[in-house]
Amino acid sequence: MALDEIKISRAILNRFLNKISDCLELDVAIVGAGPSGLMAALRLAQKGHKVAIFEREISIGGGMWGGGMMFNEIVVQEQGAAILRDLGIAIEDAQDGYYTADSVECTTTLASLACKAGVKVFNLITVEDVLVRDNRVTGLVINWAPVDILGMHIDPLAVRAKYIVESTGHATEVLKIIQRKGDTKLFTDTGKVIGERSMWADVAENTTLENTREVLPGVFVAGMAANATFGSFRMGPIFGGMLLSGEQVARLIDERLNS
Ligand code: 48F
């Protein structure tokens, strides 16, 4: 068979357009493919929900690839180790309740499991705005990341979703967009993103779970964004809280979708 470049191009275009067109109406739209977003997506898809992740970078995995200061290993505590074991990721006992895992194996396995569970991942897409109806966030406004990076004046497209997961990490980008537009107040003490504090792994890991919750109607915050939103600490390269937060947000949204 002689390969035809036009057929190759048409195959890509047709398949991508079918995929994104099918994802214009979702149960859950997740912003950010870091560990918390990937974990949330995997668990929600395993429950049978229609889920897509929108990620600005070409690569998924967020801050997990880099381990700690580019030493590409991560640390988890017992509960995080249980999740990694369950996902089939090799862990090593670093003693006293600390475990290590290869950050590349963690990221690739998590991403692969999420895709195989039915999650659609749209990389190179930036969430630049949201849809708000009757004080509830009902969707995302998306554009190609290079359009955003170059500041080109090109109008975006929109995706409707029953629930949004804000898992953009330290930046809390989606919530900052919402507060900038002034459409609604967050469920924080100030009504705004409070901002993250310095590193304190012990406290931060626990508050990540407390802070993984609905932050305004239709939007749940997970991962590092949860602590940044509610004014807690950062934790550095310990990732159990990120995985647990992803599971927790999936549980909370699953309950809502089933109620
Ligand atoms: O930062 P990130 O890995 O978030 P996370 O799941 O995990 C945090 C840890 O990596 C680490 C930590 C310790 O555990 O503190 O930092 O909370 O991933 C966030 C992803 O969101 C993407 C960004 O490129 C990254 O991959 N992102 C951020 N803003 C946008 C976005 C946006 N507006 N649109 C699309 N993607």
Side-chain angles (χ1 to χ4, degrees):
M1 183 188 81
L3 291 172
D4 178 351
E5 293 81 358
I6 303 308
K7 286 191 173 156
I8 294 169
S9 303
R10 189 167 285 125
I12 289 173
L13 289 175
N14 284 345
R15 183 165 170 158
F16 184 81
L17 288 179
N18 282 338
K19 180 167 68 174
I20 197 154
S21 169
D22 185 52
C23 287
L24 292 180
E25 292 186 283
L26 294 162
D27 290 329
V28 188
I30 297 180
V31 192
S36 65
L38 284 171
M39 194 72 220
L42 169 62
R43 294 302 188 220
L44 282 161
Q46 286 173 332
K47 296 267 185 201
H49 303 302
K50 189 172 174 187
V51 188
I53 309 183
F54 298 90
E55 166 56 54
R56 178 172 48 204
E57 298 289 331
I58 190 167
S59 68
I60 43 162
M64 194 150 68
W65 290 112
M69 207 177 133
M70 299 204 295
F71 297 97
N72 63 358
E73 302 288 332
I74 63 162
V75 171
V76 290
Q77 51 286 65
E78 190 55 64
Q79 281 173 297
I83 296 178
L84 294 184
R85 263 188 226 108
D86 175 60
L87 299 179
I89 294 167
I91 50 172
E92 276 180 25
D93 190 343
Q95 314 234 305
D96 304 323
Y98 298 83
Y99 298 85
T100 55
D102 183 297
S103 70
V104 175
E105 186 184 353
C106 288
T107 307
T108 52
T109 305
L110 198 46
S112 169
L113 289 171
C115 291
K116 287 183 187 302
V119 175
K120 296 291 181 285
V121 179
F122 294 96
N123 56 341
L124 290 166
I125 289 184
T126 295
V127 172
E128 63 164 56
D129 204 347
V130 292
L131 306 176
V132 181
R133 300 288 181 274
D134 301 325
N135 201 36
R136 182 186 173 86
V137 177
T138 57
L140 301 175
V141 174
I142 58 171
N143 215 328
W144 293 114
V147 166
D148 178 52
I149 292 162
L150 294 171
M152 297 173 89
H153 186 175
I154 296 177
D155 272 314
L157 296 175
V159 174
R160 190 179 297 136
K162 293 176 187 151
Y163 289 96
I164 308 293
V165 176
E166 149 66 286
S167 50
T168 64
H170 299 267
T172 59
E173 281 206 19
V174 177
L175 295 179
K176 288 205 175 130
I177 291 165
I178 293 168
Q179 76 184 28
R180 193 172 68 237
K181 301 264 171 162
D183 286 321
T184 183
K185 276 191 163 178
L186 311 185
F187 302 154
T188 61
D189 290 344
T190 58
K192 297 189 165 185
V193 172
I194 297 176
E196 89 184 26
R197 302 179 69 186
S198 304
M199 193 188 288
W200 189 353
D202 190 38
V203 177
E205 280 291 274
N206 292 318
T207 57
T208 304
L209 283 192
E210 288 161 28
N211 293 330
T212 297
R213 52 187 155 114
E214 193 169 29
V215 66
L216 73 163
V219 182
F220 285 74
V221 64
M224 187 57 225
N227 272 358
T229 300
F230 288 95
S232 186
F233 298 88
R234 67 185 302 188
M235 68 293 295
I238 180 149
F239 280 76
M242 296 299 113
L243 304 172
L244 291 162
S245 171
E247 288 202 323
Q248 167 145 322
V249 83
R251 236 179 350 258
L252 294 172
I253 293 176
D254 178 56
E255 278 165 24
R256 291 290 184 84
L257 286 168
N258 292 330
S259 66

